[in-house]
Amino acid sequence: MPESAAKRSSPTPNATDLPRREDWRAILDVLAERCSCRDFDGSPIDRSVLAGIVADGTEAPSSCNQQQWHFIVVDDGALKRRAWEISGGNHHFAECSALIYLCFQKGWTHGNFSVVQSVAGAAYHMMLSAHLRGFSAIWNAGIGDKAALADMLGVPPTFEIQGALAIGRPKPSAPAMKAPRRPFGQVHSWNRFERPAVTRYPAKPADEYPFFAIRNDDNPFAVWDPAEWDWGQIADFRGYSVWAKSPLAGVYVSRRQGEATAVELELLPAPAGDGRVVEIMPWGGTYSVELRHRLPPSVHLHLAELSPHNLAFVEERFRQEGLPLDRVSLDLFADGRLPYADGTIDAVVLPQVLEHMPDPEAVLDEVRRVLRPGGHVTVSVRNRDSAYGRHWAEVESRAQVPNQGPFQPIPAASVEGWLGERFAVEQAVGIGSGTSHDAAVLTGPARLSGRLFAGRWRRE
Ligand SMILES: Cc1cc2nc3c(=O)[nH]c(=O)nc-3n(C[C@H](O)[C@H](O)[C@H](O)COP(=O)(O)O)c2cc1C
């Protein structure tokens, strides 16, 4: 019998049976320590315990008490591996002890997704139950193709599969870090809506913003042009969303990028042994990891980001990748001003970030200021005048702004012109002739037509 069935049959406790106030605080403090786990050890959990967790979740309130939820617990190894395949990138689906698919019967919504709200209440209750029992969990909306899942699980078309909880025991090495929470003052107000402007991201002007007009791949209100955002908004957006994953080795490797990183790295200068290299806006550190592998260990790597949350993420990511941090500085910058004295840096690297900046030319002025004479800047930029640039305009930019923040590919000729006004060119190439994956190196006039425009320039 699920253990909470007995609990449910007991009468409502008297006020005197309830934990004392200070105990409530202690319980809430324990609940607040919960954090998502995406790195499980694969050990099994007894079915009676899993059933108890699900039963606890069904104590949640539901709209009109309809309880139109259904929870499918998947603890079969082959099915978990298939669930991983269907999800795309969620290796934790195969490594967790069990997945709990969150489903509901389509029908009653109250005009306010009330059935969805109800399932969400139950799902969080299950996470807290798992946490109190000493397990870890992660909630996933990203479960992949729902038709394939419905087929795997035998879910009828009148039921929706909304997401999945993965529950298990973390590997000893799993990062046990809670994603940062916004300052409480930012996210609540009394008696009327008040919220700091920096936390509100831009939307295209419209008479109204109907929720149902917004889809993942088609958001008519999304503003991709970073010039319409200010630095603070970009910092805010990037700094929280980087925690959409855990800082595990290998996270946030772009499928579109393919082999292009190797070509970008070939463009780096060879800094002296005691050199200082700055990477600007590393976000989750994917390029930083490659850069650290590539640079001599004695070279000091500065990572300049807009939010301390990115820096904390990259710091743990380096640990998970087994990379030393003794010659790495995690530096904050704001409003496009770099935190380095004039002429003190040997090389600056801008890997596909100029197009994320409200004023890229002003940042290039800053790069010039901090570079020593003879120092280098290495740049790669998504090129608007390319097959990818056209794809971005016609397809990608119709979607929501991605977690890395707003960006807009820039014509290669513009970037080349901006750099030529400030630096001496050493090498300039196009990378990739298709919209994704390939890393063909394009030279001569074709350099202006690659998916990326990239090169190395020297400060005279
Ligand atoms: C509704 C919902 C959907 C989520 N979907 C995913 C997902 O698809 N993939 C993922 O890695 N994390 C997902 N998460 C986990 C969040 O990224 C995570 O809760 C958030 O970063 C806060 O971190 P914490 O849970 O450690 O406090 C989801 C969380 C919620 C509440």
Side-chain angles (χ1 to χ4, degrees):
M1 179 174 69
E3 58 194 66
S4 79
K7 183 191 72 188
R8 277 207 303 252
S9 65
S10 63
T12 307
N14 298 321
T16 49
D17 297 333
L18 291 169
R20 284 171 307 147
R21 194 167 191 84
E22 53 273 31
D23 297 333
W24 298 349
R25 188 63 260 164
I27 292 168
L28 288 169
D29 287 345
V30 173
L31 297 185
E33 286 165 7
R34 181 212 57 81
C35 62
S36 292
C37 173
R38 298 177 181 85
D39 204 17
F40 296 102
D41 71 1
S43 59
I45 297 178
D46 194 84
R47 277 197 171 179
S48 65
V49 177
L50 290 167
I53 290 170
V54 178
D56 285 339
T58 62
E59 297 293 348
S62 69
S63 176
C64 297
N65 197 33
Q66 287 208 3
Q67 301 164 63
Q68 290 296 2
W69 48 45
H70 189 86
F71 305 106
I72 305 174
V73 188
V74 174
D75 61 353
D76 175 83
L79 290 180
K80 284 189 289 173
R81 283 192 294 282
R82 176 74 186 125
W84 170 24
E85 256 172 50
I86 294 173
S87 77
N90 292 342
H91 63 92
H92 55 272
F93 278 23
E95 292 162 2
C96 65
S97 308
L99 288 163
I100 302 172
Y101 278 96
L102 312 170
C103 310
F104 61 85
Q105 180 153 216
K106 291 180 253 193
W108 183 244
T109 77
H110 237 303
N112 260 330
F113 314 104
S114 65
V115 69
V116 178
Q117 295 189 43
S118 306
V119 179
Y124 186 48
H125 205 125
M126 288 179 208
M127 288 184 99
L128 295 180
S129 169
H131 174 66
L132 286 174
R133 293 163 190 261
F135 301 113
S136 289
I138 168 91
W139 186 331
N140 298 269
I143 50 178
D145 178 15
K146 292 197 194 183
L149 281 172
D151 190 43
M152 177 177 96
L153 300 168
V155 176
T158 50
F159 276 70
E160 182 77 11
I161 312 172
Q162 187 185 336
L165 302 181
I167 296 183
R169 299 179 185 85
K171 278 188 194 144
S173 57
M177 298 175 77
K178 197 171 163 80
R181 292 308 192 257
R182 293 181 175 281
F184 181 55
Q186 285 189 352
V187 293
H188 82 292
S189 52
W190 297 93
N191 297 321
R192 59 175 282 110
F193 180 85
E194 282 162 6
R195 191 172 162 108
V198 78
T199 69
R200 298 177 65 178
Y201 49 89
K204 284 197 183 126
D207 289 338
E208 48 186 23
Y209 295 87
F211 183 80
F212 286 105
I214 300 174
R215 291 201 341 224
N216 229 14
D217 58 350
D218 188 3
N219 179 350
F221 312 117
V223 174
W224 283 66
D225 182 355
E228 293 187 42
W229 294 56
D230 64 38
W231 280 105
Q233 288 170 313
I234 293 173
D236 182 274
F237 191 87
R238 287 164 63 89
Y240 290 104
S241 60
V242 72
W243 289 87
K245 295 276 179 215
S246 302
L248 294 170
V251 292
Y252 293 128
V253 173
S254 151
R255 269 173 284 173
R256 161 166 304 120
Q257 176 74 348
E259 301 299 309
T261 306
V263 181
E264 290 173 323
L265 290 165
E266 283 299 315
L267 296 165
L268 288 171
D274 59 350
R276 295 173 76 198
V277 174
V278 177
E279 181 195 348
I280 299 181
M281 290 168 71
W283 194 55
T286 300
Y287 188 87
S288 324
V289 167
E290 301 300 329
L291 196 54
R292 186 65 277 183
H293 280 301
R294 180 86 177 201
L295 292 171
S298 56
V299 167
H300 200 100
L301 177 61
H302 293 263
L303 302 175
E305 248 299 345
L306 301 170
S307 160
H309 307 323
N310 292 83
L311 297 176
F313 186 97
V314 175
E315 186 174 7
E316 178 59 22
R317 167 95 186 262
F318 266 52
R319 277 197 202 98
Q320 293 282 330
E321 304 261 4
L323 285 170
L325 282 153
D326 56 332
R327 293 201 185 273
V328 176
S329 297
L330 304 162
D331 303 330
L332 268 182
F333 78 105
D335 298 324
R337 281 190 294 278
L338 297 174
Y340 311 109
D342 296 1
T344 54
I345 301 295
D346 297 277
V348 175
V349 190
L350 294 160
Q352 300 178 45
V353 291
L354 269 185
E355 61 271 42
H356 281 271
M357 297 177 174
D359 186 351
E361 284 198 86
V363 173
L364 290 178
D365 287 338
E366 268 293 277
V367 171
R368 189 170 191 284
R369 178 183 70 73
V370 303
L371 276 179
R372 64 167 174 77
H376 291 88
V377 56
T378 310
V379 176
S380 64
V381 181
R382 300 174 186 88
N383 179 10
R384 178 67 179 83
D385 290 336
S386 67
Y388 165 69
R390 289 184 286 282
H391 172 80
W392 176 86
E394 286 157 23
V395 180
E396 196 172 321
S397 64
R398 296 172 65 93
Q400 345 185 89
V401 169
N403 278 340
Q404 299 93 315
F407 73 89
Q408 195 158 262
I410 308 173
S414 305
V415 180
E416 191 170 58
W418 299 341
L419 286 156
E421 287 163 19
R422 295 167 176 83
F423 307 99
V425 64
E426 290 194 350
Q427 196 179 351
V429 295
I431 306 176
S433 47
T435 53
S436 67
H437 292 94
D438 82 295
V441 176
L442 309 170
T443 53
R447 74 188 182 286
L448 300 178
S449 67
R451 181 167 79 251
L452 301 172
F453 173 69
R456 185 179 64 249
W457 286 259
R458 191 181 60 254
R459 187 202 190 296
E460 304 263 63

